[in-house]
Amino acid sequence: MSMDLSISRFWRKKEIIYKLNGAKCKSCGKVHYPPKNACPYCGSRELELVELPRRGKLISYTTIYAIPEGARHQSPIYYGLIDLGVTKITAELTDIVNANSLKKDMEVEATLRKTQEDRDAGLIYYVLKFRPVLVQK
Amino acid sequence: MATPKAGIHGWGAYIPIYRLPLSDIAKIWGWHPDQYKGLAVESKAIAGPDEDSLTMGYEAAYNAIKRSKIEPKKISAIFFGTESKPYAVKPSATIIGEALGITPFTMASDLEFACRAASEGMRSLIGMAASGLIDYGLAIGSDTAQANPGDVLEFTAASGAAAFVIGRTSNASAIIEDSVTFVTDTPDFWRRASQPYPLHGEGFTGEPAYFYHIENAVKALLERNGLKPSDFDYAIFHQPNGKFPVKVGQDLGFNMDQMKDGLVTPMIGNTYNASALMGLARVLDKAKPGQKILLAPFGSGAGSDAYLITVTDEVENRKPLAPTVEDYLNRKVLIDYASYAKSRSIIHVIK
Amino acid sequence: MVVYVEGVGMTKIDRHYDYSLKDLAANAAFAAIEQAGGVDGIDYLVFSSSLSSLQDNQLDTASYLATSLGLRGIKALNVEAGEASGLAAISVAKSLLESHQADKVLVIGAEKLNEFVSSKVYKQLQMLYDGDTKSFYNIGFAGDAAILMRLYMDTYNVDRELMSYWPALMHSNAKENPYAMLNFAIKPDKVAKSQILADPITLLDSYPLGDGAAAIVLSNKDMSSSPLAKISAIESSTGYGSIELSEDPLLFDSLSEAFRRISNIADTSNLDFIEIHDSFTITAMIILETLGLANRGKAAELVSTGYFSPGGKGPLANPSGGLKARGHPLGATGVYQIAESSLQVANKFPGVKANNAKKGLVVSLNGLGSSSYVALVEGV
């Protein structure tokens, strides 16, 4: 029996990874994701969890062909820097039909997808990825 | 004894973006190019390489909760009906529940009854809500629909999900007035433990299974409510292909006008646990207050449920709160057999 | 306080399938020790590597290495700071000398990146970036830099072709460096046409996966006999190391701070050459702009004019060929940079020479600047 993926490391972070929970600094008001132990901008430890918007705009993006172990079936990996208004995050992008469809300022929204799977018998990691919005508002 | 009633508070669906034209399957496996035409399906929806029944069920449930306008924490039962569980042991329902913010004070289980497991979940929720055991419950039907490559089943087995938030009747979008379940031991379709694909009895899946069970469930429902087919605005049946639901509907006395809006399989194939339920979601996307819906899911092995549903005024307020089935139907990209085979792990790889 | 470089050693960076991590380390260390006049007085080994625990299945490598090198009994420790490990190790060695914990320190940086197949190495390299979220994705080693490169080109309206002059310059320099992994010239127009790793980053915008080791012997003033060079100052800073956290990702905040700190304690003007951390073309551009050696958004253009080329008006950039072409055996890279720079100011570098070089600045950082180190190397 062999397991490559950690059980507890992922489990501990599920609130953050499943729900896009960021941290808002009570001192300087800035929001960051994922939550650190203190505010990366002012150092205050007075943080509160805030659920981030699930929609945002692409600031920058890439199509990755240098694929890490275990992800060949998801190749190419699309990856973006996303402006959520209150903060920026980076996330894998999904449902991208081809690399040329990626555009700056493209609207994207969060959805739950698989990222890593521990071979045939181990754990599956589910995380939020972003895809082009289904319905324009 | 009064029939326990419950309300559908929110509904939601999910269809993956990818579509495989059935002509590709015929070409790869050497079927006659016209062979599949009788199935009345042109292309089927395929989950992407990072999707499974759980991720699809999550999104359908997310949409259903949006339409229900309730806090996720108010849901206290999650029934996930699927025959394509990512984990054979380890509930998908807890992962979905966690990701949607429903946990921890909730029941949660994965149900199995071929294509009607999610419907069994709905029936359970009716009783639980009507009795006051729960305020709200979530039933999800989701499948990536395995089929033995090259088998006739492969033409229709598709990916998709539908979900419903069910609670008491007050402030609901639709009222489930009555429901009936009819099951027998009928081995029309099965998948043995540890096997990747189901087997089926071809023609045996028809008369003794699909038609017998649906007809008996629907007739029992009509009879005990003193209704006839023409009393309904919509009729929705389980849709293993495009032909069976139309035939069973016509045999029972329903017409195409009543059935057409609930037919989704001709566009995307049979999404197993989401098959009839996606039809219901699509009908609720369109239905007007006061309209009556007949819903009859079916699962091999075998059994059928029949539901009598009345749409309320509230439905109009809920429609715009999440994407419609039509939104998902319109979002599509054609792929070839190779992409589908890779996506659905049909190609053997060393991990 | 100033520390002195008594000797340096380097192996050619390559796919050294026939040599182990310890073999490479020994090759570099023995050369450095010989140049420094023997092992006498060496009382500390600082070993720098970032992936060797995974690639070589070994912990406490510094200690095992000390014994393997015939130095059993000296003090030893490992330093790991991702891609910045080499300069971090030298910074630690300098502190040991300054605090008189050591009199003469052997610093070895060694890395093998070819013990496993590339997909596994890409996954290991993903550890350079913030693991809080990235470790649950499949973005490999070039994803963040690719996002940054596109952001740079979009923000400043810089053409892809203009970015390609940097790799071409690096290859041109590396061609003369006997220790370089990619010692062949390329034309700028080849860069965009090479294999795409993470669009817009191509193979030729990126560093090769090489094995290598470099070593230096450092001493303080009292122990120094005939040093090659002196390290007059080293400074460092931590930073966001993340495009999403940073309010201005087109500058590396940690480098800006480290450079401010070193400029406060040493004269960083009139640089004859720089050895900077060009893990990707974009990293080089941002470093040049963060250091103020190019105006913001103008680094690529300045490179294309020959400003940083041999004989150019600016400081000579990466005469070694840089991470791009000399190679980037992660934890060894900073030690290579200091060894090369020491040879430059001693007029002994066996490749492209900075004319009559007196002073060079070395820049090393991890990822997108989770930490940055700067060192000033001067002639004696």
Side-chain angles (χ1 to χ4, degrees), chain B residues 57-350:
Chain B
Y58 162 89
E59 184 157 331
Y62 180 84
N63 290 336
I65 293 170
K66 280 266 167 205
R67 282 206 178 89
S68 74
K69 299 209 282 190
I70 60 157
E71 286 298 308
K73 292 273 182 231
K74 289 194 168 165
I75 291 171
S76 41
I78 307 166
F79 292 129
F80 182 62
T82 186
E83 51 184 285
S84 26
K85 282 161 64 84
Y87 292 97
V89 175
K90 197 238 165 287
S92 298
T94 55
I95 300 174
I96 293 174
E98 191 85 40
L100 291 171
I102 298 170
T103 53
F105 288 105
T106 181
M107 293 171 63
S109 36
D110 296 0
L111 304 182
E112 193 283 304
F113 192 123
C115 295
R116 69 165 280 278
S119 178
E120 183 100 337
M122 280 176 62
R123 284 220 73 201
S124 308
L125 291 176
I126 293 168
M128 291 160 70
S131 71
L133 181 69
I134 62 168
D135 287 332
Y136 298 97
L138 177 64
I140 308 167
S142 180
D143 266 302
T144 51
Q146 305 76 14
N148 200 12
D151 184 71
V152 63
L153 190 66
E154 195 187 21
F155 284 108
T156 49
S159 309
F164 300 88
V165 173
I166 290 172
R168 271 177 264 184
T169 52
S170 62
N171 209 31
S173 314
I175 308 297
I176 303 174
E177 312 273 4
D178 193 13
S179 53
V180 172
T181 299
F182 182 91
V183 305
T184 70
D185 172 13
T186 304
D188 58 319
F189 172 112
W190 61 88
R191 177 161 70 84
R192 291 269 297 273
S194 303
Q195 290 300 310
Y197 306 117
L199 297 181
H200 60 88
E202 297 184 345
F204 190 77
T205 61
E207 277 310 324
Y210 180 86
F211 292 97
Y212 176 70
H213 291 83
I214 290 180
E215 283 169 13
N216 275 290
V218 171
K219 280 176 186 163
L221 182 84
L222 296 183
E223 191 173 317
R224 79 186 203 187
N225 286 279
L227 293 168
K228 52 188 188 306
S230 59
D231 294 327
F232 289 87
D233 299 284
Y234 300 97
I236 307 154
F237 303 97
H238 177 58
Q239 300 157 31
N241 50 50
K243 203 170 66 175
F244 276 23
V246 174
K247 179 166 191 318
V248 80
Q250 285 169 344
D251 288 354
L252 283 163
F254 295 90
N255 60 44
M256 269 315 283
D257 276 350
Q258 293 164 295
M259 294 191 281
K260 64 179 194 306
D261 287 332
L263 278 175
V264 187
T265 287
M267 283 88 89
I268 59 164
N270 177 16
T271 53
Y272 286 22
N273 266 279
S275 180
L277 300 188
M278 184 131 26
L280 175 59
R282 187 160 184 247
V283 162
L284 289 171
D285 285 341
K286 302 182 177 195
K288 297 279 175 261
Q291 290 190 319
K292 279 196 164 17
I293 302 167
L294 174 93
L295 169 72
F298 166 82
S300 289
S304 176
D305 309 290
Y307 297 82
L308 165 58
I309 298 166
T310 307
V311 180
T312 74
D313 293 346
E314 191 58 30
V315 78
E316 298 295 350
N317 299 328
R318 311 301 176 93
K319 285 177 185 175
L321 300 181
T324 61
V325 173
E326 223 60 32
D327 290 329
Y328 286 104
L329 287 172
N330 292 338
R331 182 191 76 137
K332 61 181 173 189
V333 175
L334 292 184
I335 57 169
D336 59 12
Y337 194 91
S339 305
Y340 147 79
K342 187 200 80 170
S343 207
R344 294 293 90 224
S345 303
I346 293 169
I347 300 172
H348 177 73
V349 293
I350 297 169

Side-chain angles (χ1 to χ4, degrees), chain C residues 82-295:
Chain C
E83 295 174 279
S85 296
L87 265 199
I90 290 166
S91 172
V92 167
K94 185 167 178 283
S95 301
L96 291 170
L97 291 167
E98 285 167 353
S99 60
H100 299 288
Q101 296 289 305
D103 289 327
K104 207 175 242 195
V105 184
L106 172 62
V107 181
I108 305 174
E111 199 82 70
K112 290 206 54 113
L113 296 178
N114 288 289
E115 301 287 36
F116 292 94
V117 294
S118 58
S119 61
K120 196 175 194 79
V121 181
Y122 295 158
K123 182 136 186 173
Q124 292 174 346
L125 289 171
Q126 202 168 309
M127 297 195 299
L128 300 172
Y129 303 91
D130 190 343
D132 278 354
T133 48
K134 318 251 178 201
S135 62
F136 304 117
Y137 285 136
N138 297 305
I139 54 176
F141 74 107
D144 277 77
I147 282 180
L148 193 61
M149 180 164 172
R150 187 183 304 279
L151 185 65
Y152 180 91
M153 297 194 307
D154 275 1
T155 304
Y156 299 126
N157 199 20
V158 174
D159 188 60
R160 156 75 262 195
E161 297 301 329
L162 203 55
M163 303 288 282
S164 302
Y165 284 87
W166 178 268
L169 172 61
M170 290 303 100
H171 276 260
S172 166
N173 290 349
K175 191 158 59 72
E176 313 298 325
N177 178 359
Y179 303 110
M181 182 166 180
L182 306 180
N183 46 10
F184 52 87
I186 56 161
K187 293 242 161 59
D189 66 349
K190 284 257 291 185
V191 179
K193 290 177 194 151
S194 67
Q195 182 192 337
I196 294 173
L197 298 181
D199 187 33
I201 288 178
T202 68
L203 188 67
L204 288 174
D205 281 311
S206 174
Y207 57 91
L209 296 180
D211 308 335
I216 60 174
V217 176
L218 287 179
S219 69
N220 57 32
K221 184 86 182 161
D222 310 334
M223 293 290 291
S224 171
S225 49
S226 54
L228 287 169
K230 64 182 180 191
I231 300 175
S232 27
I234 298 187
E235 268 299 345
S236 67
S237 172
T238 50
Y240 293 120
S242 146
I243 11 174
E244 64 269 35
L245 283 178
S246 175
E247 290 144 312
D248 184 3
L250 299 178
L251 286 184
F252 293 140
D253 61 324
S254 56
L255 178 60
S256 175
E257 180 58 22
F259 189 60
R260 190 189 65 77
R261 287 175 183 167
I262 201 167
S263 300
N264 281 344
I265 56 170
D267 178 10
T268 51
S269 61
N270 299 316
L271 298 170
D272 297 303
F273 66 95
I274 53 176
E275 279 290 344
I276 65 169
H277 183 92
D278 57 330
S279 46
F280 300 98
T281 302
I282 182 60
T283 337
M285 298 305 107
I286 291 181
I287 289 172
L288 292 173
E289 294 176 18
T290 303
L291 294 175
L293 293 173
N295 288 331

